[in-house]
Amino acid sequence: MSMNKVLAAVDATDGGRKALELAISVTENNPDAVIDLVYVVPIPLLDDSQMTSFRSILEMMMNDGKSLLERLVDAHEDATDRLNPLLITGTNPATEIVKLIDRGDYDLVVIGNRGLSGMKEYMGSVSHKVLHGSSVPVLIAK
């Protein structure tokens, strides 16, 4: 199976870094392959008055996300021209990633695993939710 378009969902954890490295690895035989590198800035559900006071914090979180994506792209100079960084926001990162999958015509999704186990993994794992919500194959980097 040729990997032409891959979504690598990343965060600031070691699992996020491994997900990008794995996405680069599975596409290395196709120089035309594109890797969308997505980071989701999680925002809480807030009413208008709360959102006004949260706005400066959100701006800081967006800047942190942009910086993370820039560092990841810069760390992989050999693949820079194939990496397409995407910064999105949402109340639930897994839901936002699944929505992106549905719109993106991807061949594969690669996402990191933070190593949660037991009930924490079942209830809170973004990778678990993406795995079960995705319409395309998902590769979880450990």
Side-chain angles (χ1 to χ4, degrees):
M1 176 181 203
S2 177
M3 297 294 157
N4 297 314
K5 191 171 181 187
V6 173
L7 177 64
V10 299
D11 58 15
T13 66
D14 192 45
R17 180 188 54 78
K18 288 179 181 177
L20 175 55
E21 290 172 1
L22 192 53
I24 291 170
S25 175
V26 298
T27 60
E28 68 187 356
N29 291 331
N30 182 355
D32 297 325
V34 174
I35 301 169
D36 283 351
L37 183 63
V38 66
Y39 176 77
V40 181
V41 177
I43 56 173
L45 290 173
L46 303 171
D47 63 30
D48 289 340
S49 65
Q50 293 168 320
M51 192 60 189
T52 301
S53 58
F54 181 71
R55 208 167 301 283
S56 63
I57 295 170
L58 179 59
E59 187 175 312
M60 181 182 66
M61 293 168 65
M62 296 284 290
N63 288 334
D64 288 347
K66 287 177 190 173
S67 294
L68 171 69
L69 289 172
E70 288 170 3
R71 284 191 311 272
L72 288 170
V73 169
D74 290 346
H76 296 282
E77 292 176 1
D78 56 326
T80 300
D81 58 331
R82 298 187 306 121
L83 297 175
N84 179 31
L86 304 171
L87 183 70
I88 59 178
T89 61
T91 57
N92 184 316
T95 300
E96 297 307 319
I97 293 167
V98 170
K99 282 193 233 176
L100 185 59
I101 293 166
D102 291 342
R103 293 190 314 262
D105 194 31
Y106 295 102
D107 298 309
L108 178 71
V109 176
V110 184
I111 189 167
N113 181 340
R114 287 205 288 167
L116 299 175
S117 61
M119 187 56 82
K120 284 184 182 178
E121 178 182 19
Y122 181 73
M123 297 302 288
S125 171
V126 173
S127 58
H128 185 267
K129 291 175 184 172
V130 169
L131 174 66
H132 291 284
S134 177
S135 57
V136 300
V138 176
L139 183 57
I140 299 177
K142 285 191 166 215

